Amino acid sequence: MRGHVLRRLPSALLILFVASLVIFAVLRLVPGDPATSLAGPDAGPETVAAIRERLGLDDSLPSQYLHWIGGLLTGDLGPSYAIGGQSADLISDGLGATVELTAAALLFVIALGTAFGVLGATARRGWVRAAVRALTTGALAVPPFVTGVLLVLLFAVLLKVLPPGGHVSLLTAPDLAVQYLLLPALCLALPSAAVLGRYLKDGIERALAEDYVRTATAAGVHPRRLLWRHALPNALPPAVTLLGMQTGHLLGGAVLVEAIFAWPGLGQLAEQALTRRDYPVVQDLLLLLVTVFVVVQLITDLVYAWLDPRIRWE
Amino acid sequence: MTATAPLPATGKRPRTAPRHPYRAALASARGRTGLVLVALVVLAGLLAPLLAGHSPTDQSSQSLAPLGTPGHPLGTDDLGRDLLARLLYGTRADLGIIVLSVPLGALLGCLFALLAAVHPVLDTAVQRLFDLVLAFPGLILALAVTAILGPGRLPVVLVIALAEIPAFGRLLRGGILVEREREYATAARVGGSSRIRVLTRHILPNAADPLVVQIAVSLTVAVFVEGAMSFLGVGVRPPQPTLGSVLSQSVPYLSDAPHFAAGPLITVTALVLGLSLIAEALNREIRR
C-alpha cells in the first residue's frame, strides 16, 4: 500500500509543479501591469510603486515564484488586493461552501447512480428500464445550465417549494440550508449520476451473466442477495474510478452551478477575483483547484486497488 | 416464402451492397431525428438576418413584453430587445463558435497524436502534456485563458479547442497503436513505404472512425462550454447575444417572464440532443 502511494506520488507532484509554473506564467502574461490595474485609473505613480512593492513585482521572477510557493506552504497567502481581506480567509470561506455543494452532489450521484444502475439492469417492467434510459440520456446530453434553469422553473417558479438560489449556512439554520442546497446539488449531480448509472448497469448485467451467478441461483441464493452481495460488488471497481473522475468534474462543474444558483463558493470567488483583476487570489485559487483534482485522482487509484484485490500494489 | 410471396426474378432485388456505415447511421431512426433537430437549428442560425425583424441589439421601450406582442413574436427581454432576433443571432453566434473551435481542437489533437507516433520519447512528452491539460477542470481552464486574453469570442474558441485537444489526441493515439500492428501496416512497410507515408496514408484513415464520433460529441461539449462561459461572465462580450448569454440574462426574470428563457432552452436542448443522437447513431454503426 505504502509502496503504491510512493510510486504514484512523483507523477502527481510533477503535474502539480508544472501546473504551478503554468499558473504563475499565465498571470505574468496578462497584458498590462497588474499593479496599475489594481491601483485604478486615478492613482499616482507612488501608489502604483507601493503596490508593486507589496506584490513583490520588482523582484526577479524566480524569487517571486519561490515567495508565492513559500507562502502557500506556510499558509500565509498574503492580502487580497481588490476584494479586500486576507486571501486565505476568502478562499477558506469559498472552499467551505463549494465543499458543502460538492459533497451534497456526491451523495446524490451515489444514490441516483446506484438507483439508475440497479433499476436499469434488473427492473422487470420494460417501461421502467426505458424511463431510466431516457432519463440518463437526457441528463447526459443536456448541459447543466439548461437543467439548472429547468429545475428553478419547476421547483421554484411553478411549484414554489424550493428557493431559486442563494445560500444559508448549515451551521446557523440546517433545515433552511438544506432547502437552499437541494436544487444546486441536484443540478450538479445529474450528469455524473447518469454516467455512473450507465457504468453500473453494464457492470451488473455483465456480472449477472457470469457462471458463478448461475451456480448460486441453482444453489438457491435469493436473487436480491445475489444482486447486492455478488453482482453489485463486482461492478464496483470501474464505477469507483469513474466516481473519482466525476468528483473532479463535480468540482469543475460547481463553478458553473454556483453562478446559476448564486452560491457563494470558490467559483463565485474566482469569477469575482478575475473580473476585479485580483491576481494573487486567482493564482492561489487555480493552484488549489488543480491540487484537489490531482489528489482526488490519487485517492481514486488507491480505492480502486483496495476494491479489486487482483490489482497488486507492488 | 415460396407460396405467398414469389421471389422476384434474380437480379431484380439484389442483396443491397453494404452501405457506408456513416450513411447507414444517418439513415437510422436515431440519426434521422438527430439530423432533423440539428438542421432546424442550423437553418435558424443561417437564416437569422432574413427571419429576424429587428437587430438583436436594438432596444425598445417595451421591456419584458410577453409572447405574441405585435412586432415581437417571442416578446422582448429586460432591455426591450427583440427576443426572436436575439435567439436567432445567438444561435448563429454559437454555431460560428463551435464550427471554428471543434475542428481546430481536432486538428491540433491529431497533430499531437501523429507526433507522438513518431518516437517513444515524443509520445511520453505528448502524453504528459495531455495529462496537464486534463488536470485543469474545463471551466478552470476557461477562467485561466480569459484571465490572459480578456472576455470575448476568441478566448471562447481557444478554450474549447484547448479542452478538446486531449480528447482527440488520446483517441487517435490509441487507434494508431492498434492499427500499426495490423498486417496491412506491416505489408505497407515491407512494400517500402516510408514511415510517415504508412502513418498518414494507411493507418490514419483506418483509425479515423472514432474521431468522427468524437467530433459530434465535441460539438455538444462546445455548446456546453460556450453557455457555461456566458454564465460565468467570461464569454462573448455583451450586447452580442449567444444562446448561453440570452439564457443567463433570463435567470433573474424566471418567475416574472418565463418565456424569456424558453427560446434558448428549447434551442440548446434541440441542438445538443440532435448532436448526441447523431453521435450515438454513428457509434453504433461503426462498432458493428
Side-chain angles (χ1 to χ4, degrees):
Chain A
M1 179 83 186
R2 190 188 295 158
H4 190 67
V5 177
L6 288 178
R7 212 159 44 81
R8 281 296 186 154
L9 221 45
S11 80
L13 285 177
L14 184 69
I15 286 193
L16 271 187
F17 172 65
V18 179
S20 75
L21 284 181
V22 171
I23 291 165
F24 182 78
V26 160
L27 294 169
R28 301 303 178 281
L29 289 172
V30 174
D33 179 11
T36 324
S37 65
L38 280 176
D42 302 327
E46 311 83 50
T47 324
V48 176
I51 291 179
R52 287 190 74 83
E53 168 93 45
R54 271 200 301 174
L55 281 174
L57 289 175
D58 292 323
D59 301 345
S60 69
L61 285 179
S63 90
Q64 282 185 45
Y65 176 79
L66 288 178
H67 183 249
W68 174 47
I69 296 295
L72 284 176
L73 292 178
T74 53
D76 174 23
L77 302 184
S80 140
Y81 290 92
I83 302 175
Q86 289 289 315
S87 181
D89 294 342
L90 289 171
I91 289 179
S92 68
D93 285 353
L95 187 66
T98 298
V99 166
E100 204 178 289
L101 177 61
T102 314
L106 198 61
L107 288 181
F108 267 121
V109 171
I110 295 171
L112 286 175
T114 314
F116 288 160
V118 171
L119 281 176
T122 61
R124 290 224 188 88
R125 295 176 199 279
W127 68 265
V128 175
R129 290 198 303 271
V132 167
R133 200 160 53 231
L135 204 62
T136 49
T137 309
L140 270 178
V142 176
F145 55 85
V146 169
T147 15
V149 172
L150 284 176
L151 285 174
V152 172
L153 272 175
L154 182 64
F155 289 101
V157 176
L158 277 177
L159 299 176
K160 296 191 199 317
V161 287
L162 291 171
H167 172 250
V168 169
S169 165
L170 268 174
L171 298 176
T172 49
D175 48 334
L176 209 56
V178 171
Q179 293 185 20
Y180 278 92
L181 188 57
L182 278 177
L183 284 187
L186 188 60
C187 174
L188 183 57
L190 268 177
S192 301
V195 178
L196 183 68
R198 284 193 165 184
Y199 256 71
L200 274 180
K201 170 179 171 283
D202 286 351
I204 293 172
E205 279 175 348
R206 216 172 302 133
L208 284 178
E210 298 269 353
D211 287 345
Y212 73 84
V213 171
R214 200 179 46 196
T215 312
T217 315
V221 177
H222 193 277
R224 199 179 300 141
R225 187 183 159 83
L226 208 52
L227 173 67
W228 292 102
R229 293 297 297 276
H230 299 278
L232 193 62
N234 273 302
L236 276 184
V240 168
T241 324
L242 192 81
L243 204 61
M245 283 161 66
Q246 293 296 325
T247 309
H249 283 290
L250 288 181
L251 281 168
V255 175
L256 171 64
V257 172
E258 284 169 9
I260 303 172
F261 291 92
W263 189 267
L266 289 181
Q268 292 287 81
L269 180 62
E271 188 190 342
Q272 209 182 3
L274 260 175
T275 44
R276 298 170 72 170
R277 304 183 147 241
D278 200 330
Y279 296 121
V281 177
V282 176
Q283 192 169 276
D284 297 336
L285 255 181
L286 288 179
L287 191 61
L288 174 73
L289 288 167
V290 175
T291 312
V292 173
F293 205 75
V294 170
V295 170
V296 167
Q297 291 199 325
L298 199 65
I299 295 176
T300 310
D301 276 351
L302 297 180
V303 174
Y304 189 74
W306 174 66
L307 273 177
D308 189 346
R310 281 170 298 183
I311 295 170
R312 293 280 157 243
W313 279 315
E314 291 81 49
Chain B
M1 175 165 151
T2 44
T4 50
L7 267 178
T10 42
K12 260 204 165 177
R13 254 182 67 192
R15 254 186 65 85
T16 42
R19 269 189 297 182
H20 192 280
Y22 298 169
R23 291 187 58 182
L26 295 181
S28 66
R30 260 198 188 77
R32 269 193 213 150
T33 319
L35 268 187
V36 169
L37 287 173
V38 174
L40 280 176
V41 176
V42 170
L43 220 58
L46 286 178
L47 299 180
L50 296 176
L51 296 174
H54 300 264
S55 148
T57 50
D58 272 355
Q59 303 185 4
S60 74
S61 53
Q62 289 176 290
S63 67
L64 294 176
L67 288 175
T69 308
H72 303 290
L74 291 187
T76 57
D77 70 1
D78 51 325
L79 298 174
R81 296 173 293 198
D82 182 50
L83 275 177
L84 178 65
R86 287 189 72 72
L87 179 62
L88 290 169
Y89 278 97
T91 308
R92 198 179 165 87
D94 263 50
L95 292 173
I97 288 171
I98 67 177
V99 299
L100 211 64
S101 53
V102 171
L104 181 65
L107 194 70
L108 290 174
C110 293
L111 282 178
F112 274 117
L114 288 175
L115 197 66
V118 172
H119 194 274
V121 174
L122 279 174
D123 186 55
T124 315
V126 167
Q127 289 281 88
R128 291 293 87 79
L129 196 71
F130 290 165
D131 283 349
L132 186 66
V133 176
L134 288 175
F136 287 84
L139 290 174
I140 309 305
L141 198 71
L143 293 174
V145 171
T146 317
I148 311 178
L149 297 172
R153 210 176 113 94
L154 180 69
V156 180
V157 171
L158 287 183
V159 165
I160 298 172
L162 199 58
E164 294 302 334
I165 289 175
F168 285 97
R170 289 189 154 183
L171 211 54
L172 181 58
R173 176 182 173 271
I176 290 175
L177 288 182
V178 172
E179 293 294 326
R180 75 165 153 212
E181 302 306 324
R182 294 274 185 95
E183 285 178 355
Y184 73 87
T186 321
R189 261 197 304 275
V190 173
S193 301
S194 72
R195 285 177 59 168
I196 305 287
R197 191 180 158 83
V198 172
L199 200 58
T200 54
R201 295 298 296 275
H202 296 274
I203 292 177
L204 189 58
N206 280 298
D209 276 350
L211 298 178
V212 176
V213 179
Q214 182 61 38
I215 284 186
V217 174
S218 294
L219 287 171
T220 66
V221 176
V223 176
F224 161 69
V225 175
E226 185 286 315
M229 287 179 76
S230 286
F231 266 87
L232 292 176
V234 295
V236 170
R237 238 181 274 228
Q240 293 308 324
T242 63
L243 287 175
S245 70
V246 178
L247 191 57
S248 78
Q249 281 151 17
S250 79
V251 169
Y253 306 99
L254 277 179
S255 51
D256 302 327
H259 68 279
F260 192 166
L265 272 184
I266 294 170
T267 315
V268 171
T269 309
L271 186 58
V272 294
L273 219 53
L275 287 168
S276 334
L277 284 172
I278 293 177
E280 217 176 302
L282 282 170
N283 203 14
R284 284 181 176 229
E285 279 301 323
I286 286 170
R287 285 199 179 169
R288 269 190 189 182

